Amino acid sequence: MTTVLQVVGLTLTTFGVSFLLIAALGVWRLPDVLSRLHALTKADSAGLALIALGAACLKGRPDSLLVLGLCVVLVALSGVTIGHLIARAHLSEGDLE
Amino acid sequence: MSLAFDILLAFGVVFTAAAALGTHDRVASIAGFVVTGLLVALSLVRLGAPDVALAEAAIGAGLTGALLLRSAWRLKPAESRVSPAIDRIIVALIAVCLSGALAWAVYTAPGAALYPALVSERLAESGVTNPVTAVLLNFRAWDTLLEIAVLFVALILVRIVAPAHPQPVVLGELMLPFARIVVPMCAFLAGHLLWQGASVPGGAFQAGAILAGGLLVLMLGGFAVLTPRLLSWGMMVALLGLAVFAVAALSTEALTGTLLLYPDGAAKIWILMIEAVLTLSIAAMLCLLFCGMPRRPLNDV
Amino acid sequence: MTSELIYICAGSGLVGLAFYRLATCRDMLLRVLSLNVLAVGIAILFLASARNAGMTDAVPQAFILTGIVVLVAVTAALLALAEQIDSQRDE
């Protein structure tokens, strides 16, 4: 049982890390603010959720799921809001020019 | 395995710090600083200091980053006069010598650890089981009292010298649902950290910083405007922590004959009371330090 | 002991970098930022030297915790002073 959980946890964490890597690549390579934001916000929340799920599997205790879930919810929430704010600031800057 | 992680982490800390300090773009520099702060928090966890790591992540990276960003659009950048190459080479040499000497001195310092034995010996009578909280609020509570006084003095300084600035622009419609979820969560987390600080990492400073974060969401979102009335209430709360701590120090002097030596068996209650007031007061102080306090003419006080 | 050595190197590296920046930079904001990096480096050095047989001494931890809180107050005060200097220069 533990080994199954560990394998699942490691797989999920690997997927999560690769999501984050792709997000970083997107921020690095994409040309303008809005498309960078697009790469960042989605892959970021998904990657973190996968890593948290994997970590919960590796930990093997259900109560750690609560704390990790809280982390994921808070990061997703602030990611959404900050993405919105950056896009808004970018667009209003464009209006001024 | 963990050694590889340590090496990678230490490299990351130095690299992000170099990136933060090496660029002339201020916002990029501050972003690099915040990332450095978070990596440093992680390395402090690796060094076995989770209390400090929590404070570094919340205050060192979060609040300081916010303070710097706030000032980045208020302060005009200095004219970019590059120092002559010879100066820079000399400074770089001195810096390299300094860090080499520092590393050598710290590494070869004789490690006669005096405190761990003393702390663990007296931990049972301190009223809490987290050694860091025991040191902060019992063994060396005097330091913490003075620290709160320093915070208050800094607050007064900011109150006197900070020039008035216009209110920030309204931040869009997503802020309201964000604040509705995050602000109660901040209050809840602060209470949780305060309570668990007695036995596991946490405590008044971390809780106060998180509460201050929640207050800043309210301020920056435009949900709470810093009116003179609110400002004076905030100053009252800020002063309350120092006042309660000082009164506690004086009453322990009266009760036990020694400053900040709590009466037998009641240490836990005393610490919890002081910490609860300190949390509110630290939150108010950090928030007011950020807001910079719009000055108003003396005649409408 | 090796992991402590790694962090000692990282901490003193931060101190050196911050010192260089502090000496060569004229921008007040970046100076305050370098001061913060310097303090962080010293915190790492202090805690790495406080480690002994897998345990970290609680007294230096409390010192550094105090230092972090005082540093944010100092940062706010320095930035307020810098803003005041800036606005005086305008007039």
Side-chain angles (χ1 to χ4, degrees):
Chain A
M1 189 58 197
T2 45
T3 46
V4 173
L5 264 185
Q6 273 185 348
V7 169
V8 171
L10 278 178
T11 320
L12 283 173
T13 321
T14 316
F15 267 118
V17 171
S18 47
F19 257 94
L20 289 184
L21 212 61
I22 291 169
L25 207 68
V27 173
W28 185 35
R29 296 295 302 174
L30 285 177
D32 65 279
V33 172
L34 289 182
S35 46
R36 280 181 191 171
L37 216 53
H38 159 81
L40 185 67
T41 43
K42 286 163 192 84
D44 197 34
S45 335
L48 190 81
L50 284 174
I51 288 179
L53 212 58
C57 287
L58 286 176
K59 189 87 179 170
R61 283 189 8 222
D63 58 333
S64 61
L65 207 60
L66 191 71
V67 180
L68 287 167
L70 190 65
C71 291
V72 170
V73 167
L74 280 178
V75 170
L77 207 65
S78 48
V80 167
T81 312
I82 290 168
H84 171 75
L85 288 181
I86 293 177
R88 205 181 137 95
H90 177 71
L91 288 181
S92 64
E93 238 172 52
D95 283 346
L96 286 181
E97 278 162 13
Chain B
M1 187 62 196
S2 67
L3 190 67
F5 182 74
D6 283 340
I7 293 174
L8 209 62
L9 189 56
F11 182 74
V13 166
V14 176
F15 179 78
T16 48
L21 295 174
T23 168
H24 282 282
D25 181 356
R26 287 167 150 196
V27 175
S29 187
I30 295 166
F33 172 73
V34 172
V35 175
T36 312
L38 292 176
L39 287 179
V40 165
L42 195 57
S43 58
L44 293 180
V45 173
R46 294 287 303 164
L47 283 171
D51 295 85
V52 189
L54 275 173
E56 169 66 28
I59 301 178
L63 267 174
T64 310
L67 268 174
L68 290 168
L69 264 184
R70 178 210 65 182
S71 289
W73 63 273
R74 289 184 182 175
L75 285 173
K76 283 184 301 300
E79 71 280 23
S80 57
R81 234 185 321 164
V82 181
S83 334
I86 182 75
D87 283 12
R88 275 181 291 152
I89 291 170
I90 293 173
V91 169
L93 274 179
I94 297 175
V96 168
C97 292
L98 178 74
S99 50
L102 211 53
W104 180 75
V106 171
Y107 188 64
T108 56
L114 191 64
Y115 297 121
L118 288 175
V119 170
S120 58
E121 186 187 315
R122 308 291 294 274
L123 193 58
E125 34 186 291
S126 73
V128 290
T129 49
N130 177 11
V132 179
T133 306
V135 172
L136 275 176
L137 268 308
N138 195 337
F139 303 145
R140 303 221 32 118
W142 177 239
D143 290 353
T144 312
L145 174 59
L146 290 182
E147 173 191 358
I148 301 298
V150 168
L151 265 183
F152 195 70
V153 169
L155 184 60
I156 291 172
L157 185 76
V158 170
R159 175 97 172 82
I160 292 170
V161 301
H165 283 285
Q167 281 287 311
V169 285
V170 184
L171 288 174
E173 49 282 348
L174 258 183
M175 274 308 272
L176 185 62
F178 177 71
R180 272 192 183 142
I181 301 175
V182 164
V183 174
M185 202 101 95
C186 279
F188 171 74
L189 273 181
H192 175 69
L193 271 177
L194 175 66
W195 180 253
Q196 76 164 16
S199 51
V200 284
F205 295 111
Q206 294 89 341
I210 288 185
L211 206 56
L215 288 177
L216 284 184
V217 170
L218 286 181
M219 295 279 177
L220 292 179
F223 306 117
V225 183
L226 199 61
T227 52
R229 192 183 165 78
L230 193 63
L231 185 65
S232 50
W233 273 106
M235 286 300 277
M236 291 290 267
V237 176
L239 187 57
L240 190 69
L242 185 59
V244 166
F245 210 156
V247 168
L250 289 176
S251 44
T252 49
E253 167 89 41
L255 284 174
T256 62
T258 314
L259 206 63
L260 286 165
L261 176 72
Y262 305 118
D264 272 341
K268 167 104 184 174
I269 309 279
W270 281 83
I271 290 180
L272 210 63
M273 295 288 281
I274 294 176
E275 273 204 301
V277 180
L278 279 191
T279 303
L280 290 179
S281 156
I282 289 169
M285 283 200 256
L286 291 177
C287 186
L288 289 181
L289 279 176
F290 182 89
C291 292
M293 296 198 256
R295 266 203 301 176
R296 47 192 203 285
L298 277 173
N299 50 18
D300 70 50
V301 173
Chain C
M1 205 55 210
T2 39
S3 75
E4 276 93 86
L5 181 61
I6 293 165
Y7 287 113
I8 287 174
C9 289
S12 50
L14 285 194
V15 172
L17 279 172
F19 176 80
Y20 174 77
R21 195 65 179 146
L22 212 50
T24 55
C25 179
R26 285 172 195 285
D27 193 38
M28 280 188 281
L29 186 90
L30 292 179
R31 278 189 182 172
V32 175
L33 193 146
S34 324
L35 201 66
N36 272 282
V37 174
L38 190 79
V40 161
I42 288 172
I44 294 181
L45 275 178
F46 213 148
L47 286 173
S49 71
R51 251 173 107 69
N52 203 333
M55 291 288 291
T56 308
D57 197 345
V59 177
Q61 283 193 52
F63 283 173
I64 296 296
L65 199 54
T66 308
I68 288 174
V69 178
V70 169
L71 184 71
V72 75
V74 171
T75 305
L78 283 178
L79 288 175
L81 281 173
E83 282 168 17
Q84 183 64 37
I85 291 170
D86 232 34
S87 66
Q88 299 264 320
R89 201 177 280 162
D90 279 351
E91 286 161 9

